[in-house]
């Protein structure tokens, strides 16, 4: 096994999906769509506080192919390492969809249930080259890919921001994960060679060109996933809301460092105070990183990467020993501007800015010193969800 992971590419994945569809359903699919995963450059755990985030879409994608089948059933085959099939009835006003088993199908069902318009019975095949459970948004990628193929099959285009919101709602209601809007938004609206500065309050976004020249965005996968994610994420979200409520604000977006004093005056719980401190600084850092990236001030970007990691680790407490170790190994290594965990945390990936000429040396250093089994890829900011032409 090599430690480098490379994108299979949507064309090859599409062929694989069409072949699987023909074998399973005995005809060719009528439509195809894909949606990428994402890495976040700055602004973690701030989307649900209406802050700014700065993610990029990855070249790794989920591809869905499908056709109507003239019945009231939806048959969905997920052709990953494990081939799994789920069937459920297309929703009607009298019989709405409900979450259930198998768990993976809830991502599909949630989107079908929230699609604005009628969804007729269909057959579909899903393939993906996104590393699963690595904090690279395989869930949002699946949701948005399914939504995009429903747009194709039902001939109904939905406004992209509305589409992201509906996919987020699907994730809240079906898998039951109270995520923010970042993942579904960037997966839907990303542009090649750009990061997306999303204002999670107004839901407006700016495409920021990422021309890092001789510098690479290296993603290092810790290949660990700690099981606490399920309970810890909603708890962080609730703690942030508690701080906002104490300040009489709708969210921590409007809070400043001065408000930390007010929280102390109110004898606010220590953990709630720590979360608020992270959010206030991280929102500010995101705006700064977007500016510094545009000005190619990579030293400043790198500095803020380290600050952000420290804050996510000590104040937000969403890192883990493996992520901390990876960042420590990278700190001060030749050609490294900065490194930070990316996404929800408790495992998953670290993102780093590294001079291209130093990437190989850095990988060797990590392979030698990291206690786990890392995998790597250089991230080329890629396009958001799209329909794929079927020849
Ligand atoms: C997960 C959630 C996002 C966001 C990140 C942390 O990926 O789905 O909404 O909160 O964690 O930044």
């Amino acid at each position: 096994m090599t430690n480098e992971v490379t994108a299979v590419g949507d064309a090859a994945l599409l062929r694989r999906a069409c072949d699987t569809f023909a074998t399973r359903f005995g005809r060719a699919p009528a439509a195809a769509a894909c949606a990428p995963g994402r890495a976040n450059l700055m602004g973690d755990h701030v989307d649900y506080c209406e802050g700014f985030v700065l993610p990029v879409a990855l070249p790794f994608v989920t591809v869905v192919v499908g056709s109507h089948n003239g019945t009231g059933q939806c048959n969905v085959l997920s052709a990953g390492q494990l081939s799994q099939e789920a069937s459920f009835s297309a929703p009607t006003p009298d019989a709405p969809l409900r979450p259930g088993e198998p768990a993976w199908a809830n991502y599909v069902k949630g989107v079908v249930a929230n699609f604005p318009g009628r969804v007729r019975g269909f057959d579909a095949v899903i393939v993906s080259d996104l590393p699963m459970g690595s904090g690279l948004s395989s869930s949002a990628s699946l949701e948005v890919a399914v939504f995009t193929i429903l747009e194709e099959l039902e001939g109904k285009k939905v406004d992209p921001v509305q589409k992201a919101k509906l996919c987020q709602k699907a994730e809240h209601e079906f898998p039951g994960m109270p995520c923010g809007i970042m993942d579904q938004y960037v997966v839907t609206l990303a542009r090649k060679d750009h990061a997306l500065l999303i204002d999670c309050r107004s839901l407006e976004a700016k495409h920021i060109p990422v021309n890092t020249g001789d510098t690479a965005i290296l993603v290092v996968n810790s290949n660990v996933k700690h099981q606490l994610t399920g309970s810890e994420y909603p708890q962080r979200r609730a703690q942030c809301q508690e701080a906002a409520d104490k300040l009489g604000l709708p969210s921590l977006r409007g809070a400043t460092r001065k408000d930390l004093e007010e929280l102390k005056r109110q004898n606010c719980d220590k953990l709630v105070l720590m979360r608020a401190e992270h959010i206030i600084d991280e929102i500010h850092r995101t705006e700064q990183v977007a500016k510094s990236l545009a000005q190619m001030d990579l030293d400043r970007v790198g500095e803020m990467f380290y600050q952000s990691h420290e804050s996510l680790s000590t104040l937000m407490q969403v890192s883990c020993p493996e992520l901390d170790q990876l960042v420590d190994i990278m700190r001060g290594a030749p050609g490294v501007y900065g490194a930070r965990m990316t996404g929800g945390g408790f495992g998953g990936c670290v993102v780093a800015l590294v001079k291209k000429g130093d990437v190989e040396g850095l990988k060797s250093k990590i392979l030698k010193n990291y206690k786990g089994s890392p995998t790597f890829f250089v991230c080329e900011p890629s396009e958001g969800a799209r329909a794929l032409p079927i020849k």
Side-chain angles (χ1 to χ4, degrees):
M1 195 187 112
T2 154
N3 298 96
E4 185 72 33
V5 282
T6 44
V8 175
D10 55 15
L13 285 171
L14 178 61
R15 272 197 303 278
R16 196 189 295 171
C18 287
D19 290 350
T20 309
F21 190 95
T23 309
R24 167 64 186 86
F25 297 109
R27 62 194 196 283
C34 75
R38 65 99 188 92
N40 189 20
L41 299 183
M42 186 56 67
D44 273 309
H45 284 264
V46 299
D47 58 351
Y48 53 74
C49 300
E50 301 191 315
F52 287 102
V53 294
L54 189 64
V56 294
L58 301 176
F60 300 92
V61 292
T62 305
V63 170
V64 185
V65 298
S67 281
H68 283 129
N69 57 19
T71 75
Q73 270 309 99
C74 304
N75 306 308
V76 183
L77 173 65
S78 169
Q81 280 169 341
L82 281 179
S83 181
Q84 311 174 83
E85 189 164 331
S87 282
F88 53 91
S89 302
T92 62
D94 298 334
L97 279 175
R98 305 217 183 285
E101 293 293 329
W104 68 266
N106 285 327
Y107 295 95
V108 180
K109 279 187 191 171
V111 171
V112 170
N114 279 286
F115 190 77
R118 181 167 169 225
V119 176
R120 288 165 287 167
F122 64 84
D123 298 328
V125 167
I126 301 167
V127 296
S128 175
D129 62 354
L130 243 178
M132 295 290 145
S134 297
L136 299 174
S137 262
S138 48
S139 320
S141 172
L142 173 57
E143 290 151 11
V144 175
V146 169
F147 197 106
T148 309
I149 201 165
L150 293 181
E151 290 180 299
E152 291 301 297
L153 289 175
E154 300 300 344
K156 183 182 169 99
K157 273 263 165 244
V158 177
D159 165 75
V161 174
Q162 186 59 16
K163 171 170 166 179
K165 283 170 76 177
L166 290 167
C167 288
Q168 179 198 24
K169 186 164 170 275
E171 185 152 343
H172 287 192
E173 291 174 355
F174 279 67
M177 157 73 174
C179 60
I181 189 70
M182 167 169 74
D183 301 347
Q184 291 81 3
Y185 197 117
V186 68
V187 162
T188 305
L189 283 114
R191 191 182 288 170
K192 191 170 159 34
D193 299 327
H194 290 73
L196 195 59
L197 178 64
I198 309 169
D199 178 337
C200 299
R201 179 163 64 185
S202 67
L203 294 186
E204 282 163 3
K206 241 194 239 159
H207 294 278
I208 310 284
V210 180
N211 302 315
T212 44
D214 63 353
T215 302
I217 302 171
L218 180 71
V219 176
V220 184
N221 193 339
S222 69
N223 285 306
V224 297
K225 184 88 207 149
H226 294 288
Q227 283 314 313
L228 6 104
T229 327
S231 56
E232 296 283 331
Y233 185 94
Q235 194 191 71
R236 295 301 182 282
R237 197 177 168 147
Q239 287 167 327
C240 292
Q241 194 53 49
E242 188 181 330
D245 292 346
K246 281 193 188 307
L247 294 168
L249 296 170
S251 70
L252 283 176
R253 166 66 179 275
T256 64
R257 281 207 138 248
K258 260 201 192 137
D259 291 314
L260 296 174
E261 295 310 314
E262 171 58 19
L263 288 174
K264 279 185 206 154
R265 207 190 53 75
Q266 292 185 28
N267 286 325
C268 169
D269 176 81
K270 187 162 167 268
L271 291 180
V272 171
L273 188 65
M274 283 157 58
R275 311 306 186 228
E277 187 176 349
H278 166 75
I279 302 298
I280 292 167
D281 289 350
E282 184 87 350
I283 292 176
H284 179 68
R285 272 192 290 270
T286 308
E287 291 183 275
Q288 293 300 308
V289 165
K291 273 195 201 123
S292 303
L293 255 189
Q295 294 162 355
M296 279 291 280
D297 184 352
L298 300 185
D299 286 318
R300 181 92 186 102
V301 174
E303 225 172 89
M304 282 182 284
F305 269 34
Y306 286 131
Q307 284 174 15
S308 169
H309 184 80
E310 185 64 16
S311 178
L312 286 160
S313 180
T314 60
L315 295 174
M316 206 62 187
Q317 297 179 303
V318 293
S319 184
C320 62
E322 292 84 353
L323 293 173
D324 291 346
Q325 196 201 5
L326 284 171
V327 171
D328 282 345
I329 294 169
M330 290 189 228
R331 200 187 310 270
V336 178
Y337 289 95
R340 64 187 291 277
M341 57 156 275
T342 181
F346 304 108
C349 295
V350 166
V351 64
L353 273 186
V354 190
K355 289 213 172 100
K356 284 183 181 157
D358 289 305
V359 166
E360 288 309 315
L362 180 67
K363 284 199 224 163
S364 308
K365 185 171 183 206
I366 295 171
L367 284 168
K368 193 157 156 236
N369 295 289
Y370 174 54
K371 60 185 172 198
S373 317
T375 41
F376 307 93
F377 62 89
V378 168
C379 165
E380 312 278 353
S382 303
E383 235 183 297
R386 56 211 179 259
L388 297 171
I390 296 193
K391 283 170 216 110

